[in-house]
Amino acid sequence: MRIVSKKTLREFYEQSSYMDSKSALDSWHYEVLKVEWDNPNEIKTQYKSASIVGDNKVVFNICGNKYRLIVKINYMAKIVFIKFIGTHKQYDKIKVEDL
């Protein structure tokens, strides 16, 4: 899969408060670059705790659910768009449908 954009992840974990997410986000990025998902079921097979939230959006738990990563996937083009990365508390304040 192609990921748009790693810069978003880097900007998040370069903040001093979120440096503990660097390893987990780098691992997620590396793993996703190597796969080619055709549908949400394939994501659930690889990431059991991922939540499929509709409109081709997926929520990944990062660092034991301390952080949430929301992506939108274009399965035909094999592109993963990063829509949100934040703490669980920040996630609770957003509407996933609006991303």
Side-chain angles (χ1 to χ4, degrees):
M1 303 295 283
R2 192 165 51 126
I3 302 170
V4 180
S5 119
K6 177 152 188 186
K7 180 181 175 189
T8 304
L9 300 178
R10 191 175 337 102
E11 287 175 348
F12 179 77
Y13 65 63
E14 285 179 348
Q15 298 176 57
S16 61
S17 304
Y18 308 129
M19 277 302 288
D20 63 332
S21 68
K22 181 183 186 320
S23 177
L25 289 171
D26 283 345
S27 293
W28 176 89
H29 186 268
Y30 179 76
E31 290 170 7
V32 173
L33 284 175
K34 297 188 320 183
V35 297
E36 288 196 10
W37 294 316
D38 293 315
N39 59 62
N41 292 333
E42 292 178 357
I43 296 170
K44 289 294 285 182
T45 298
Q46 185 173 359
Y47 294 98
K48 306 252 185 277
S49 66
S51 300
I52 310 302
V53 292
D55 192 29
N56 293 326
K57 292 180 187 153
V58 182
V59 180
F60 293 94
N61 298 323
I62 305 295
C63 288
N65 207 19
K66 183 174 182 181
Y67 304 107
R68 293 279 179 99
L69 171 64
I70 302 172
V71 302
K72 184 168 183 170
I73 301 175
N74 181 323
Y75 293 99
M76 291 186 77
K78 306 295 183 206
I79 301 173
V80 176
F81 298 93
I82 296 172
K83 305 301 274 179
F84 171 87
I85 177 70
T87 65
H88 201 287
K89 188 174 184 178
Q90 292 165 333
Y91 170 84
D92 288 341
K93 293 180 181 178
I94 65 166
K95 293 183 98 178
V96 176
E97 311 83 49
D98 294 341
L99 297 176

